Amino acid sequence: MNAKEIQNELGPGAVFPVGEENTAFAQYFVGTSYLNMLTTQGVGVGNVTFEPGCRNNWHIHHKGGQILLVTAGRGWYQEWGKPARALRAGDVVNIPPEVKHWHGAAKDAWFQHLALEVPAEGASNEWLEPVDATAYEQLV
Ligand code: MN
């Protein structure tokens, strides 16, 4: 699917370019995602687009947290041990450092968020296991 077709799926809220297929982090995702780093100066801001069914593995942002600004589509955010939270355009998710979580699309919808890296000395990401497929499929 080309960028224009993806934009059409996402709708008018998706004002930032989708960018390229996210091959650098593909090993930490199920399904295809797209990543466009909008800026890497000061606060890193990436535009992340997920095809339907695509989600990232459980992961932890160490020291600096992450803020998600949902721009288009429908998706999910879940912290370990808690129920998943449904997301749609306009939602904000403030992910504290050291909290195990995942985020991604609904199984039947495209999804897009801006991901802001909260700056911190020695910040890093730790990638963990994939989300349980059966649990994901049961999300409604
Ligand atoms: Mn995250």
Side-chain angles (χ1 to χ4, degrees):
M1 191 173 270
N2 66 36
K4 184 169 173 57
E5 291 168 328
I6 295 169
Q7 291 282 2
N8 286 338
E9 293 286 341
L10 290 165
V15 295
F16 298 105
V18 166
E20 302 297 320
E21 189 172 326
N22 184 9
T23 55
F25 294 90
Q27 62 187 309
Y28 307 121
F29 283 65
V30 171
T32 300
S33 66
Y34 300 80
L35 175 63
N36 182 14
M37 286 307 297
L38 301 179
T39 181
T40 55
Q41 298 176 2
V43 176
V45 181
N47 185 23
V48 188
T49 304
F50 304 76
E51 69 174 1
C54 176
R55 67 275 189 180
N56 51 32
N57 290 1
W58 291 100
H59 60 283
I60 299 170
H61 304 293
H62 290 295
K63 300 195 175 172
Q66 186 180 47
I67 298 169
L68 306 179
L69 305 177
V70 180
T71 47
R74 289 185 295 108
W76 297 101
Y77 168 74
Q78 186 174 24
E79 296 181 356
W80 187 256
K82 296 183 180 179
R85 171 186 167 190
L87 298 177
R88 58 180 60 242
D91 286 339
V92 177
V93 182
N94 207 315
I95 307 169
E98 317 310 333
V99 171
K100 182 176 175 179
H101 68 281
W102 66 272
H103 27 114
K107 59 187 175 186
D108 58 351
W110 284 78
F111 180 60
Q112 185 183 75
H113 63 54
L114 302 181
L116 285 67
E117 304 162 7
V118 178
E121 186 78 29
S124 66
N125 292 336
E126 181 182 2
W127 292 98
L128 302 165
E129 73 277 15
V131 176
D132 180 78
T134 302
Y136 175 81
E137 291 298 327
Q138 289 173 347
L139 292 173
V140 286

